[in-house]
Amino acid sequence: MFGLDKKDTTLLIVVALMVLLAPFILNPFPEGSAMAQFNAGYPDLMQRFVIFGIFAIGFNILFGLTGYLSFGHAAFLGVGSYSAVWMFKLLSMNIIPAIVLSILVSGIFAAVIGFVSLRRSGIYFSILTLAFAQMSYNLAYSVLTPITNGETGLQLSLNDPRILGSSATADGSIPVTSLFGLEMRAAEQIQIGPWAFQFSVGFYTCAIIMLIAFYLSIRIFRSPFGLMLRAVKSNQQRMNYTGLNTRPYTLTAFIISGMYAGLAGGLLACMDPLAGAERMQWTASGEVVLMTILGGAGTLIGPVLGAGFIKYFENIFSKINESTLDGWFSFLPDGLQHAVVWVADHFVGSGWHLTLGILFMLVVIFLPGGLVEGGQRIYAWISGSKRKAKAAETKTEPAE
Amino acid sequence: MGILDVKNVSKRFGGLKALSDVNLSVKENTVHAIIGPNGAGKSTLLNCLVGKLIPDTGSVMFDGQSVLGRAPYEINQMGISRVFQTPEIFGDLTVFENMMIPIFAKRDGSFRMHAYETVASEAEMVEQAEKMLIDMNMIDKRHMHAASMSRGDKRRLEIGMCLSQQPRLLLLDEPTAGMARADTNNTIDLLRQIKAERDITIAIIEHDMHVVFSLADRITVLAQGTPLVEDEPQNIRGNPKVREAYLGESA
Ligand SMILES: Nc1ncnc2c1ncn2[C@@H]1O[C@H](COP(=O)(O)OP(=O)(O)OP(=O)(O)O)[C@@H](O)[C@H]1O
Ligand SMILES: [Mg+2]
């Protein structure tokens, strides 16, 4: 179906179901129960899952296929956000033109940065992209204040000259983003027994765009173009002596992944119309690298899993605080409870990075193929010892 | 005038004169062997033909056009394919995928953003790759990761990849080194068969005299960066100069 073989079609359908049913899947615990804080089924967080999923899918087209490790992809995320907010300010609150501009502008940015950075490979390429991203960050933070509104960040205001649309609503507030009148923040809550499930326009808009982005990435992976990108990673020398010019291949991959990042940045602004320089910071660039490696670089689904994993930790673990821990360990004797809580406290709340760091190390050391390899091993283990032996021998397929 | 004309080519590496004043003419549709002791400059000469090295002096003409100053991929697109002394294949890809790449490069040129089709749906290209794999006796290995094959198989794959491009000039740098006897004979047969079927010129560097004398129409002996003699195989065998410089040593 859709020009995919059976295996890929199945994968696409499974991912589509998981994403579209996410409001249920991510809300397994009844409201008000002790476990309810582990629920992730609220629109704001689910939007982040899919938007960063798009970011990571795009990053994987560059890193997973060609092996070029960019440390500056957050620059494109930021550029996408700024472009979208400007579109809201100047043209219309409709998200379509905003998204189109985000993709275009980040694509142009990627063409320029890629053209220069791809003259080098390996660590030098990574450093060049990092340098470019930090330059973009600093420009956004101070020099280009008229465009980016510097430290404060770019926001909508009541006197934006919106050409198609009004500067303010009838009741004097700033209009909200919409898709042909369908407001992004509009949401519906369905109560089933003790469970409350939330469905928002914003999430489903992002989800459908993510599924399209995912589908396109499968097509790229399976195409002759994708094969050439994998050849770049494998042996550039052989490519050159086979009559292939590697430079345009890597540059195209760089631009495509920059456009994915721009799309993600644009969507962030569509959900919440503001853009700040911190979105371009090197930590944000590093995050997408972690997502991709954690999930499984070079695999189709890995980056999406990695993005979900990291965003879940960031949002759920960071909310656990000392009093929550006190509650969990209240069954322990007093002295011991204090000790356990004191230790555990360093791994939750603002210490969630510590937990994530440890998990990341464990995955990289024991599952070099990321979460996807973990999944494959479990699958092999379940489906009998014959297959188990095989899975241990063969390494992770590069394009699963 | 041959299809390949090398005139007065010299190449220095620091103080070492790897090639000095090399003249070589390879006639169209012949197999031209280049032999000589280790370090004679044979690989260096090939490097100068495919754009890996630029000679200090001299000219290299392929089919009346200079190759000097062109990028390796441009030279390949002119019709020159090369097998390396240490196998250069796509180790992370499967044998089948390895074979598809040169076939796409032949059809689509040095760059094409070809993302609409899937590799599997390119029936004609797939058929060509499979045919080549059958000819190479490797079709049963099509799903194998190329890196996990033996050195001899890697080499055979590389030869197949180069042949699948249907080059006008094929450069082979010790193609049978590391191959089992059976595979060596297999490779000789394949090259002969290709030779009989289509127009192709082959320049081959080889230490294995069995291979050289089975295939070559003409032989150039290179020693210390200079061609010593160039002649027909039967005359090379008895030439005392050659025996001294090369055959005597290795025998
Ligand atoms: N890139 C290089 N830099 C410096 N010296 C080099 C380089 N390439 C080759 N040489 C030297 O040039 C000389 C010729 O080397 P070359 O590889 O052409 O020999 P060869 O005839 O192919 O030998 P073999 O039969 O061992 O492959 C050798 O002394 C080698 O060490
Ligand atoms: Mg050599």
Side-chain angles (χ1 to χ4, degrees):
Chain A
M1 207 188 347
F2 312 124
L4 302 181
D5 68 12
K6 231 173 104 196
K7 224 172 99 196
D8 291 335
T9 311
T10 316
L11 178 69
L12 182 64
I13 291 172
V14 170
V15 172
L17 285 178
M18 302 250 283
V19 170
L20 297 177
L21 297 177
F24 295 107
I25 297 169
L26 295 174
N27 247 7
F29 308 111
E31 223 180 339
S33 73
M35 297 296 280
Q37 61 186 313
F38 288 107
N39 280 341
Y42 45 96
D44 197 41
L45 182 53
M46 289 191 297
Q47 280 160 19
R48 275 173 183 273
F49 285 167
V50 288
I51 291 172
F52 281 90
I54 293 172
F55 190 18
I57 290 170
F59 186 77
N60 191 42
I61 290 174
L62 179 70
F63 176 55
L65 290 179
T66 71
Y68 277 79
L69 178 57
S70 162
F71 261 115
H73 256 49
F76 309 126
L77 191 77
V79 167
S81 290
Y82 282 120
S83 311
V85 175
W86 271 112
M87 214 58 172
F88 295 138
K89 284 169 99 65
L90 299 180
L91 188 73
S92 142
M93 290 307 284
N94 192 326
I95 60 167
I96 299 285
I99 289 174
V100 170
L101 190 74
S102 306
I103 297 176
L104 284 181
V105 176
S106 54
I108 292 166
F109 247 72
V112 174
I113 294 182
F115 183 79
V116 179
S117 306
L118 286 166
R119 296 181 163 265
R120 291 280 168 272
S121 61
I123 187 74
Y124 301 101
F125 167 79
S126 304
I127 298 292
L128 279 171
T129 51
L130 177 63
F132 269 114
Q134 279 306 95
M135 261 160 58
S136 314
Y137 167 72
N138 284 317
L139 286 176
Y141 198 78
S142 49
V143 184
L144 294 178
T145 303
I147 301 175
T148 62
N149 203 22
E151 253 177 276
T152 328
L154 191 62
Q155 291 167 352
L156 301 184
S157 76
L158 280 170
N159 26 15
D160 288 331
R162 204 162 291 115
I163 299 170
L164 308 172
S166 50
S167 299
T169 56
D171 57 4
S173 55
I174 298 172
V176 295
T177 53
S178 68
L179 179 65
F180 303 108
L182 206 59
E183 288 184 7
M184 284 300 121
R185 59 166 190 201
E188 195 75 47
Q189 178 154 325
I190 297 179
Q191 196 84 28
I192 303 176
W195 283 276
F197 300 111
Q198 296 180 51
F199 302 87
S200 83
V201 175
F203 167 68
Y204 278 101
T205 308
C206 295
I208 286 164
I209 292 175
M210 181 232 154
L211 288 173
I212 296 171
F214 183 60
Y215 168 71
L216 290 178
S217 104
I218 302 182
R219 290 298 298 260
I220 290 174
F221 267 63
R222 298 295 181 236
S223 70
F225 175 71
L227 179 63
M228 294 303 173
L229 297 184
R230 284 162 59 213
V232 168
K233 182 178 181 176
S234 186
N235 190 341
Q236 294 212 20
Q237 163 119 324
R238 193 7 102 204
M239 272 195 100
N240 287 325
Y241 293 98
T242 306
L244 295 158
N245 188 1
T246 51
R247 193 73 67 73
Y249 280 105
T250 47
L251 184 60
T252 313
F254 194 86
I255 294 172
I256 292 173
S257 83
M259 289 164 93
Y260 267 74
L263 168 64
L267 279 175
L268 282 176
C270 291
M271 299 303 114
D272 187 6
L274 48 87
E278 74 291 338
R279 211 162 265 177
M280 297 178 142
Q281 226 170 351
W282 68 272
T283 46
S285 295
E287 197 179 56
V288 74
V289 179
L290 294 190
M291 287 171 179
T292 309
I293 294 177
L294 190 70
T299 63
L300 285 169
I301 188 69
V304 182
L305 297 179
F309 195 85
I310 289 185
K311 284 294 150 190
Y312 184 83
F313 264 82
E314 181 185 281
N315 288 278
I316 304 294
F317 265 65
S318 64
K319 280 203 202 106
I320 301 170
N321 54 28
E322 213 176 321
S323 61
T324 335
L325 290 173
D326 272 332
W328 288 354
F329 297 110
S330 56
F331 63 91
L332 293 171
D334 234 14
L336 192 58
Q337 183 199 354
H338 281 307
V340 171
V341 169
W342 183 83
V343 173
D345 195 33
H346 289 87
F347 292 87
V348 297
S350 55
W352 72 274
H353 280 113
L354 195 56
T355 319
L356 183 70
I358 292 171
L359 282 170
F360 183 74
M361 282 193 286
L362 290 176
V363 166
V364 169
I365 294 168
F366 295 107
L367 294 172
L371 297 174
V372 168
E373 190 187 339
Q376 284 171 343
R377 286 208 195 163
I378 293 171
Y379 176 78
W381 184 67
I382 293 172
S383 60
S385 57
K386 227 190 214 168
R387 279 210 170 132
K388 185 172 141 192
K390 251 192 191 166
E393 273 165 32
T394 54
K395 272 176 59 187
T396 328
E397 286 284 323
E400 269 314 289
Chain B
M1 269 269 292
I3 190 168
L4 178 75
D5 281 303
V6 177
K7 288 231 166 73
N8 305 324
V9 162
S10 300
K11 181 74 195 175
R12 240 176 208 293
F13 296 114
L16 177 83
K17 207 143 200 233
L19 295 175
S20 38
D21 245 356
V22 175
N23 286 289
L24 180 76
S25 180
V26 177
K27 287 217 177 57
E28 196 156 5
N29 296 329
T30 60
V31 178
H32 196 127
I34 300 164
I35 62 172
N38 292 113
K42 305 180 296 294
S43 298
T44 305
L45 179 60
L46 284 207
N47 288 344
C48 291
L49 307 184
V50 296
K52 190 168 179 166
L53 288 175
I54 297 172
D56 302 332
T57 62
S59 70
V60 178
M61 305 290 279
F62 173 68
D63 198 21
Q65 281 182 299
S66 175
V67 304
L68 299 185
R70 292 184 201 249
Y73 74 88
E74 291 172 316
I75 296 175
N76 175 280
Q77 292 284 355
M78 288 167 77
I80 304 180
S81 286
R82 174 180 182 182
V83 172
F84 285 81
Q85 189 166 352
T86 41
E88 292 281 354
I89 51 169
F90 301 107
D92 303 332
L93 309 184
T94 65
V95 169
F96 170 71
E97 287 169 334
N98 266 274
M99 200 53 94
M100 289 300 281
I101 288 171
I103 291 174
F104 279 128
K106 171 86 181 165
R107 187 193 66 180
D108 297 343
S110 62
F111 172 73
R112 181 167 165 203
M113 168 86 204
H114 193 27
Y116 188 70
E117 306 272 345
T118 61
V119 173
S121 67
E122 293 269 17
E124 223 171 282
M125 306 282 112
V126 171
E127 198 181 308
Q128 272 186 44
E130 282 173 346
K131 183 171 177 307
M132 197 67 229
L133 286 173
I134 292 169
D135 286 350
M136 298 300 300
N137 227 339
M138 298 189 93
I139 191 75
D140 52 324
K141 299 196 170 84
R142 56 176 295 177
H143 296 301
M144 248 173 114
H145 271 235
S148 64
M149 295 198 301
S150 71
R151 201 178 138 96
D153 280 349
K154 284 180 186 164
R155 219 167 247 301
R156 282 184 330 118
L157 174 61
E158 193 181 3
I159 296 172
M161 288 164 70
C162 288
L163 285 175
S164 71
Q165 291 199 301
Q166 313 204 336
R168 295 184 60 204
L169 174 63
L170 176 65
L171 304 175
L172 302 165
D173 197 344
E174 304 190 22
T176 65
M179 265 189 208
R181 190 83 255 177
D183 285 336
T184 301
N185 289 333
N186 203 330
T187 308
I188 294 174
D189 290 345
L190 181 82
L191 290 173
R192 275 191 175 145
Q193 182 199 330
I194 297 272
K195 203 58 249 312
E197 279 171 9
R198 58 168 109 123
D199 288 348
I200 187 169
T201 311
I202 300 176
I204 179 171
I205 295 175
E206 188 53 79
H207 284 297
D208 185 336
M209 287 306 133
H210 170 60
V211 179
V212 171
F213 287 111
S214 310
L215 287 170
D217 301 311
R218 219 169 163 78
I219 299 178
T220 295
V221 182
L222 207 64
Q224 292 171 341
T226 333
L228 213 55
V229 263
E230 188 197 311
D231 214 329
E232 316 224 311
Q234 66 265 31
N235 301 337
I236 294 285
R237 235 189 266 260
N239 190 317
K241 253 161 94 188
V242 178
R243 280 187 175 276
E244 192 188 331
Y246 183 74
L247 293 174
E249 256 172 61
S250 73

